[in-house]
Amino acid sequence: MSDKLSLGVVFGGQSSEHEVSLMSAASILENLDPAKYDIHKIGVTKEGRWLLYEGPASGLSGDGWQKGCAPAFVSPDSGLHGLVVMRDTGCEAIRLDCVFPALHGKNGEDGTVQGLFQLAGIPYVGCGVASSAVCMDKAITHTLLSAAGIRQAHYLWFYADRYAAAPDTVRNKIQARLDFPVFVKPANAGSSVGVSRVDSPEGLDAAIKKAAREDGKVVVEEGVKGQEVECAVLGLRPGAEASMVGEIGASAQFYDYDDKYINGTSQLYIPARLDEAVSEKIRETAVRAYRMLDCSGLARVDFFVTEKDSEVVLNEVNTLPGFTSISMYPKLWTASGMSYSQLLDRLIELALEKAGVKNG
């Protein structure tokens, strides 16, 4: 019997961030220590098929990785505690000690796949079912953080079908409550997919329809003029720790999908160009929000620092942030003295600790 930890790495998924997930998974797989882990690579296609990928991490691009893969899925049967692989010779069961979901967006960081792992009785990296679902939904996150007195951009949200039925009413409400420019976002999406900056009321209709294509709820936020900064949080809820703060000098109007994952032209400043007192306020607020939202394992908390008075404004909480070679979350911990491989080890340790499993 192997003394290595049997680790499943799940990637792909049915979301607009499928390609980002492949990039994250490739980086994770390249940095996991093969002496410590018996790694099982589980890919989910855009159509929702689960496959066991047995090729190299370098092959995770496009759809080519899917060729020759055996169908495989995590069974909700906690007695099986792992994968069912359907090979030509028959079914094979593979026990998993832990799962690392390298998934982003819908069906990845919204609590759905976390629920599957929970049913299966398999420890998994990252936030639980409820906190994943809450943090994925910007409307719910805004509401809870407002109740906790954590400063955010002025906002409102509404159901897309409400806009379809009474567009003038919704547009009037936006104009009455918020100053332009505003950012129109789907409540449930990530990596700035479906997000538009709107500089005048005339642009609202197209932006709302774009956001509504991604989700049935739409959030509109008042633009904040200032620096865009991010903080990485690591640990279980009571012992959560914040990294140093990083800053994004976006090359576009805002830090959009292309900036994050494709052209990589944004300038990252680690540490952020801030006074120490402001950085400390960001770190404290990040941990406070993390604990309040019942996060565990990891999250990246994004902020604005206002240009006028250096006020700290929380933007959003991401429970499964990017793990690509240019992603801020691993970069912040690397700058804080923890290598990428050490970070992965720690996240897996936390998953086992949360589940009450002794490792080694």
Side-chain angles (χ1 to χ4, degrees):
M1 185 174 175
S2 173
D3 58 357
K4 294 181 186 180
L5 194 79
S6 178
L7 179 70
V9 178
V10 186
F11 57 85
Q14 288 179 283
S15 90
S16 54
E17 297 177 77
H18 180 94
E19 286 76 15
V20 180
S21 173
L22 298 182
M23 289 188 275
S24 286
S27 293
I28 289 166
L29 291 166
E30 285 163 0
N31 285 278
L32 285 168
D33 185 349
K36 294 180 181 177
Y37 307 107
D38 187 8
I39 302 166
H40 305 282
K41 301 180 281 285
I42 306 148
V44 183
T45 71
K46 291 178 182 177
E47 296 74 39
R49 295 174 60 233
W50 288 55
L51 304 169
L52 183 65
Y53 173 66
E54 295 177 292
S58 58
L60 290 182
S61 62
D63 297 331
W65 64 269
Q66 300 174 22
K67 293 174 184 172
C69 291
F73 56 88
V74 172
S75 169
D77 186 332
S78 61
L80 192 140
H81 206 277
L83 277 178
V84 174
V85 185
M86 296 183 288
R87 301 193 187 276
D88 293 339
T89 52
C91 285
E92 172 191 355
I94 299 176
R95 181 180 173 86
L96 296 176
D97 298 315
C98 186
V99 175
F100 197 128
L103 295 162
H104 309 302
K106 288 185 183 179
N107 300 315
E109 61 180 304
D110 59 1
T112 50
V113 81
Q114 287 77 12
L116 172 60
F117 302 145
Q118 199 82 38
L119 288 171
I122 306 170
Y124 55 92
V125 169
C127 294
V129 175
S131 54
S132 296
V134 162
C135 292
M136 185 69 185
D137 190 311
K138 295 178 180 69
I140 296 174
T141 305
H142 270 313
T143 304
L144 290 174
L145 293 179
S146 293
I150 292 175
R151 182 171 173 183
Q152 304 167 87
H154 296 302
Y155 72 95
L156 58 81
W157 67 269
F158 50 89
Y159 289 101
D161 59 9
R162 171 70 178 147
Y163 181 77
D168 289 340
T169 302
V170 175
R171 281 196 298 263
N172 290 338
K173 194 175 287 188
I174 292 168
Q175 292 177 69
R177 293 191 189 177
L178 306 178
D179 292 331
F180 287 84
V182 297
F183 288 88
V184 179
K185 306 177 177 181
N188 286 275
S191 289
S192 305
V193 173
V195 178
S196 303
R197 172 183 162 131
V198 179
D199 293 304
S200 66
E202 291 72 29
L204 284 172
D205 188 63
I208 291 168
K209 287 176 179 174
K210 178 180 176 181
R213 284 196 290 271
E214 302 295 331
D215 192 56
K217 249 190 295 193
V218 177
V219 176
V220 184
E221 298 169 355
E222 192 170 282
V224 177
K225 194 171 184 180
Q227 291 161 275
E228 191 168 349
V229 299
E230 299 181 345
C231 183
V233 185
L234 177 69
L236 301 185
R237 198 187 66 80
E241 299 176 84
S243 70
M244 66 174 65
V245 180
E247 179 185 352
I248 299 150
S251 64
Q253 281 189 319
F254 61 97
Y255 193 39
D256 63 6
Y257 183 95
D258 286 353
D259 245 6
K260 288 177 181 176
Y261 302 112
I262 297 174
N263 55 42
T265 52
S266 288
Q267 180 68 50
L268 304 182
Y269 300 95
I270 302 175
R273 299 168 296 176
L274 296 168
D275 290 341
E276 182 55 37
V278 177
S279 289
E280 191 55 35
K281 175 74 181 295
I282 290 165
R283 295 173 77 249
E284 288 173 2
T285 306
V287 170
R288 187 174 160 222
Y290 186 90
R291 288 176 174 158
M292 195 265 169
L293 297 168
D294 196 25
C295 295
S296 59
L298 75 158
R300 194 193 70 230
V301 189
D302 302 347
F303 295 88
F304 297 109
V305 178
T306 61
E307 187 177 89
K308 186 178 179 182
D309 51 11
S310 294
E311 285 293 314
V312 173
V313 180
L314 193 148
N315 181 21
E316 62 183 35
V317 180
N318 296 274
T319 57
L320 274 170
F323 267 82
T324 71
S325 59
I326 61 170
S327 294
M328 186 67 100
Y329 189 89
K331 277 181 173 289
L332 286 170
W333 285 114
T334 300
S336 300
M338 186 184 298
S339 73
Y340 195 121
S341 293
Q342 288 171 332
L343 174 60
L344 297 178
D345 289 344
R346 182 64 185 136
L347 287 167
I348 293 163
E349 286 170 9
L350 289 167
L352 297 174
E353 189 180 328
K354 184 182 177 185
V357 177
K358 290 184 179 178
N359 185 18

